[in-house]
Amino acid sequence: MTTDHDGRPTLVLIHGTNSNAYGWSGLINELALRGRRSVAVNLPGHGDDQFIPRSYQAPQDLEALATEPSPLAGITIDDYVDHVVEVVRRARRHGPVILVGSSQGGVTVSRVGNAVPDLIDRVVYIAAYCCVDLPNMLSYLETPENADSLLPLVEAMKVGDPAKLGVSRINWRSADPAAFHAIKHCLAGDFTDEGVRWLANMLEPDETAAIPVTDARGEAHTWGRVPRTYVRFTEDRLIPPALQDRFIAEADRLTPHNPTDVRSVAAPHVGPFHRPELVEILADLTNPTPGTAPSNLAREEVSGRG
C-alpha cells in the first residue's frame, strides 16, 4: 500500500443519532481555515444514503408514517464499524488519525477503538455515550445520573413501534407545538427559533433501533490503550453533565494508566454545529507537536466552567 505520510493528524468525525455528516460542516470549514485536516463520515443509511419516508413529506400521512418500512432496519453496529474502519485505514495513509464521535456516535468510536486500536492515535467523545461498566446506551439511560435528561420529550415524538419497524422514527417536522419545544429544550438550548427550525429540517427521521441495545463497552486491552479526550457539554439536557462525568470516571477506573483528557464547553447537546470553543479544542488536539498546552480559549473553558 502506497502512502503519502505528511505527519499531520486527520480528524475523522462521526455523527450522532438521526443525523449526518452535514452537521459538522461549519466546524470543518473553521478547522480548514486553521490548516487542520478533517473528514466527516456519513454512517450507513445516513446523509446521501438516508431514507425519507414518502409519508414524512408534506402533507404528512401520520398513519402511513407509523408503518412505512425502512431499509435502515437491517443495519447493525457492525456495518457502522466496518464503514468507519475503512475510512480510518484510508486516512491513516497520510498520517495520525483522531477519531471523534458526538452523542450516539460514541458507540461507534468505542467499537472501532476495540477493533483497530493501532490505527487510532486518539479517541474524542463530544458529549457522547462512552460505555464502560454497563453494556449499552439503554443501560445508562436508566441510571441516576441520567435522571435530569429531557430525552423523554424527544422520545414522545416517535412514530410507530421500533420493535416492528426496526428503526426509531422521529417526526421532526411535526406541527405539534410540543415537538418544537422538545427540540429546543432537549437539543438546541440557546438556539434562536429560526435555528431550531433549521435543526428540525436537518435531522433525519429514521435511525436503526439496534444501536442503543448493542454492547458498546470499551475494552481495556484495545480501546483502553488509545489516548482519550472527553469534551463535556455543561448545558447538555439530553446527556446530563452528571452522566458525562460518570463516563469519564468509569473510563479512568478501567485505564488508570491512561486517564481522560477532559475539556468543558458551555453548550447544549447540538453544540458542535456552532461553538467556536469546540474548534479551539480540536485545533489544539491536532497541533503538529502532540502534548502542547491548550490554547488560551480552550484552557479557559477547561478551568473556568462546568
Side-chain angles (χ1 to χ4, degrees):
M1 179 178 66
T2 60
T3 62
D4 180 21
H5 198 305
D6 61 13
R8 292 185 298 151
T10 298
L11 291 161
V12 176
L13 306 167
I14 311 301
H15 61 77
T17 184
N18 297 92
S19 190
N20 52 55
Y22 178 72
W24 298 103
S25 60
L27 182 71
I28 288 175
N29 290 343
E30 287 298 322
L31 288 169
L33 292 172
R34 296 166 183 254
R36 303 307 200 269
R37 185 164 57 205
S38 59
V39 57
V41 177
N42 277 313
L43 293 173
H46 295 77
D48 294 341
D49 296 325
Q50 69 179 282
F51 173 68
I52 303 296
R54 180 183 296 272
S55 49
Y56 185 62
Q57 303 286 30
Q60 289 191 331
D61 183 341
L62 296 181
E63 183 176 351
L65 188 61
T67 59
E68 187 173 340
S70 173
L72 274 72
I75 293 175
T76 69
I77 187 62
D78 291 332
D79 297 312
Y80 283 8
V81 170
D82 290 347
H83 183 69
V84 173
V85 167
E86 178 58 24
V87 175
V88 167
R89 290 188 188 280
R90 293 181 63 186
R92 185 74 183 183
R93 297 172 186 173
H94 307 289
V97 171
I98 298 176
L99 183 61
V100 182
S102 171
S103 192
Q104 185 176 276
V107 170
T108 302
V109 165
S110 294
R111 290 288 297 260
V112 173
N114 286 338
V116 289
D118 294 335
L119 299 183
I120 304 168
D121 294 85
R122 178 173 294 273
V123 292
V124 180
Y125 296 83
I126 299 178
Y129 292 95
C130 179
C131 305
V132 178
D133 289 354
L134 303 180
N136 52 42
M137 283 175 52
L138 183 61
S139 300
Y140 284 97
L141 297 183
E142 298 169 349
T143 62
E145 291 84 358
N146 195 57
D148 293 335
S149 174
L150 296 184
L151 179 59
L153 296 180
V154 174
E155 293 281 324
M157 298 168 58
K158 284 185 177 179
V159 179
D161 182 354
K164 294 180 180 178
L165 288 173
V167 298
S168 173
R169 178 169 289 165
I170 299 179
N171 187 7
W172 303 107
R173 297 177 182 173
S174 171
D176 186 344
F180 183 91
H181 174 87
I183 297 169
K184 182 173 180 64
H185 291 278
C186 181
L187 300 176
D190 59 358
F191 279 32
T192 64
D193 286 356
E194 291 78 8
V196 174
R197 287 191 286 271
W198 171 87
L199 177 61
N201 280 282
M202 190 278 294
L203 293 170
E204 302 179 3
D206 285 5
E207 177 66 62
T208 174
I211 305 304
V213 296
T214 296
D215 194 314
R217 285 171 286 195
E219 299 172 359
H221 66 288
T222 51
W223 167 87
R225 306 197 323 255
V226 183
R228 180 177 61 247
T229 294
Y230 197 103
V231 182
R232 301 168 65 251
F233 281 2
T234 62
E235 296 179 4
D236 196 325
R237 304 300 303 279
L238 191 151
I239 305 179
L243 183 55
Q244 298 176 55
D245 290 341
R246 176 171 178 159
F247 293 141
I248 295 166
E250 289 183 0
D252 287 353
R253 283 197 298 271
L254 182 69
T255 63
H257 58 287
N258 181 24
T260 308
D261 165 43
V262 181
R263 316 288 181 103
S264 294
V265 176
H269 190 68
V270 292
F273 299 139
H274 71 304
R275 282 297 191 273
E277 302 97 312
L278 188 59
V279 175
E280 294 287 344
I281 290 171
L282 294 179
D284 173 57
L285 292 175
T286 52
N287 275 335
T289 305
T292 55
S295 63
N296 290 335
L297 180 53
R299 183 183 295 113
E300 177 184 355
E301 289 298 321
V302 172
S303 63
R305 297 185 181 179

